[in-house]
Each structure stands twice: as C-alpha cells, then as structure tokens.
Amino acid sequence: MAEDILFAGAQQVRDALSYEELITALRQCLLDLSTGRVIQPLRSVLRIPQHQGWFAVMPAVYGDVMGAKLVTFYPGNAALDMHTHQAMIQLFRADTGEALAVLDGRVITEMRTAAVSALAVDTLATPHVKVLAILGSGVQARSHLAALARVRRFQEIRVWSRTADHAQRFAGESGAQAYPSAEEAVRGADVVLTLTSSPEPVLAGRWLKSGAVVCAVGAVTPDRRELDDEAMSGAVIVESREAALREPGDILQSGATVTAELGELLNGATFPRTDRPVVFKSVGVAVEDIAAAKLVYEKLRPRQTAG
C-alpha cells in the first residue's frame, strides 16, 4: 500500500546516516560483492547530449532488499549554483518484491562515496599519514574531509580547485590551506583525493611521492579522467572489476591493469607494495547505494500497527 511506503527527503536522509555506520556497512557490502553474494549488473547510462549530461539506472539485490538508484549528472549545473548530481533510490523487499521506500539519492551518493574512500584509505594507507591533498572543493571535498576524519588524523590539509575562490572558501571553512596549483598541493602529500568533474587529467604521476595513496573519484565515465598515465602505473584497486573494466576513463584510457578489488583486500588478500603510488579508482556501484538506503530505511521505516 502506498501509505506504507517510506518517503524521505535530503535532510531526513542526512539526519539518519552517520559516517561511522556507513563505513561499517560498506565494509561488509564490499566484502559481499567480492565474494559473489551480490546481484548487480552494470549501470545503464542514457546520454543527454544537448545538455552534456547523462541519466543512469543502477540496480542491485543485496540480502533481504533490492532496489535501484536513478541518478543524473549535469556538469553545467555548477554554473547555475545547482548540484551537478541528482538522484533518488527506490527500495523493495527481495523476497516479495514489496515496495519499501523512495529516498533522496543525492545525499546517499554524497555520503557513501566519501565513506568508501575512507574505507580505502583505512585499508591502503599507513596509520601515520600526515598530509592530505584535495583536488576539488565542492560537495565531495566536504564529505570526504568528514569521512576521512573517522579513519585518519591529518596534520596538514591542502586544497586546490580550478576555481581559486572556491578553494579559498573551502579552506576558510575547513582549516585547510589553499594552493595556487595542483602540483604544489600534491607534492609531498601522503594521501591525494581527486574530486573534480574534469574531462582531462588534473593529477600527474610525477608529482606523487613514493608510496602515496590516491583516491580517484570524480571521473566515472569512459570519456573523462583525472589521472595521467604515470599516476595509473602502479597498483590499481577498484570496487568491482566488471565495472572498472567497462566504465572509468582513468583505467580505459591509460590501459592500466586492475590489481585487486577492495573487498578482496578486506577479505585478507594482499598485493606487492612498491614505490609507485597506489590508486583506488572509485566509480560507485549500486550495492553501495542499496546498503546505505537500507540503513536509512531501518532508521525511519513506518512502525507496524497491531491488529
């Protein structure tokens, strides 16, 4: 019945989620993905060329729930002071197909993306990292800073943006230091986040210190990339091999080889560490959204009436 379906907007979703819970839930979710306990096809993407955007459908079955995220990306929205990503998530029971919830998906996307990066940093970076460099100063920069604070304490946070005043604003809000160039921000950093919508590389491998950990997040389609070939020449960790070999330009255009899935490492797998950077190439996969949506639903679901 429609009156039994949970409808939750952006603020309700944000109030229901915490990064601590998300990181824990996503750890299990990615373990399950890498051990074959998730049904998840590749996302289906419909291009909207007249607006340089796209619309994607991302379904998954995960345990006792299933659902789909409907998400759009319109990069031109930034000039209109609007979010570039918009989304909703529909959640169902896996055993009966009963509709459970319709949730704002933009906030879930924002928070689960940052939580997955925090999980990657916790897995790949040493406990003693000191310097964090952030390329990009938008929504994801803010969410990543909040999520990473749950797994590491950085002594120095640097930020660079293609729009200098945005970087300055972010620095003022967060206590970071704004840098005039990406290279200056990256040189000597232990962990680097690329969180831009750039269609071409903003990070050069020659800038990276030995053994740096990079979370490459902003480019998720074949025509976009944030890292150059040299940056992609070391170990490459992904959420899903299937998605990584079909979707992200960082891998497809560089010809990089996938080293491991993050869930495999969480399950005890290892890989040889060298002086080359380690890149976590995130594309975002549907089961992460469904796992996060399930958390929201369990917090907010309508109470069952007796009788």
Side-chain angles (χ1 to χ4, degrees), residues 247-277:
E247 296 181 345
D250 281 312
I251 290 177
L252 299 178
Q253 294 184 39
S254 67
T257 300
V258 171
T259 305
E261 291 183 344
L262 182 56
E264 293 170 344
L265 302 182
L266 294 171
N267 201 36
T270 60
F271 64 95
R273 302 298 288 256
T274 69
D275 60 353
R276 300 299 305 145

Side-chain angles (χ1 to χ4, degrees), residues 145 155-159 168-178:
L145 200 56
Q155 296 179 7
E156 183 182 351
I157 300 170
R158 308 168 180 176
V159 62
Q168 292 288 351
R169 188 181 311 127
F170 175 82
E173 295 170 356
S174 64
Q177 182 178 353

Side-chain angles (χ1 to χ4, degrees), residues 6 13 16-26 65 91 103 108 288-301:
L6 171 68
V13 170
L17 287 177
S18 73
Y19 282 112
E20 289 84 359
E21 290 176 312
L22 265 177
I23 291 169
T24 298
L26 291 169
V65 296
L91 198 65
L103 309 173
I108 285 177
E288 296 166 348
D289 298 300
I290 300 307
K294 182 180 179 182
L295 280 179
V296 175
Y297 178 74
E298 289 173 346
K299 290 278 189 71
L300 302 180
R301 62 185 166 187

Side-chain angles (χ1 to χ4, degrees), residues 194 200-204 208 214-217 225-232 249-250 254 279:
T194 62
E200 56 189 28
V202 295
L203 175 62
L208 292 164
V214 179
C215 289
V217 177
R225 62 183 300 193
E226 295 181 296
L227 279 60
D228 72 358
D229 288 356
E230 185 175 346
M232 295 294 296
D250 281 312
S254 67
V279 173

Side-chain angles (χ1 to χ4, degrees), residues 16-84:
L17 287 177
S18 73
Y19 282 112
E20 289 84 359
E21 290 176 312
L22 265 177
I23 291 169
T24 298
L26 291 169
R27 178 185 295 274
Q28 186 61 53
C29 159
L30 292 175
L31 274 167
D32 290 340
L33 177 62
S34 291
T35 50
R37 294 194 289 268
V38 172
I39 301 173
Q40 176 186 265
L42 290 172
R43 80 185 93 208
S44 177
V45 180
L46 175 64
R47 300 286 175 176
I48 317 294
Q50 64 269 38
H51 300 295
Q52 294 79 52
W54 50 256
F55 169 60
V57 180
M58 301 170 60
V61 183
Y62 183 44
D64 59 353
V65 296
M66 62 185 180
K69 181 169 77 172
L70 312 178
V71 57
T72 63
F73 173 60
Y74 278 62
N77 283 3
L80 303 174
D81 198 27
M82 295 172 59
H83 290 288
T84 57

